[in-house]
Amino acid sequence: LKKAPSRLLILLKSRAFDFLSIAVLWVISLWLASRLMEVSLFKLVSASTLQVIGFYLILLVLYFSFFILLLGETLGDLLFSREK
């Protein structure tokens, strides 16, 4: 018999997916910005660490706000709720 995954495990998986998907978008956008400014990604991050972290937090807030307000759940919730 296969045991159904716990709600906590599903919640952790969905949040991990949400945070990682935003992190991928964040790194891609930082890479594009560094290419446009013709500096390395590491120089961009080291020169403006607080601004880069703030940008990630803004992306997270927008992501969770839009998905929860408009759909009632995030992409991670949609993907991992099917495991029940």
Side-chain angles (χ1 to χ4, degrees):
L1 294 170
K2 194 172 186 182
K3 184 180 173 184
S6 70
R7 288 185 176 211
L8 178 62
L9 183 63
I10 292 172
L11 178 69
L12 290 175
K13 281 183 184 180
S14 67
R15 290 302 173 252
F17 176 82
D18 293 333
F19 281 98
L20 288 174
S21 61
I22 293 301
V24 168
L25 176 68
W26 177 65
V27 169
I28 290 171
S29 62
L30 288 177
W31 178 77
L32 286 172
S34 70
R35 299 293 293 173
L36 288 172
M37 295 172 27
E38 297 178 357
V39 296
S40 74
L41 178 63
F42 300 109
K43 284 184 183 179
L44 178 67
V45 171
S46 65
S48 57
T49 305
L50 289 177
Q51 291 86 354
V52 167
I53 293 170
F55 178 55
Y56 180 72
L57 293 175
I58 289 170
L59 286 176
L60 277 177
V61 167
L62 289 174
Y63 173 81
F64 282 109
S65 298
F66 285 142
F67 274 98
I68 290 174
L69 288 175
L70 297 176
L71 296 177
E73 55 189 350
T74 64
L75 289 176
D77 294 336
L78 286 171
L79 290 173
F80 291 103
S81 66
R82 295 182 183 148
E83 288 184 4
K84 292 180 181 179

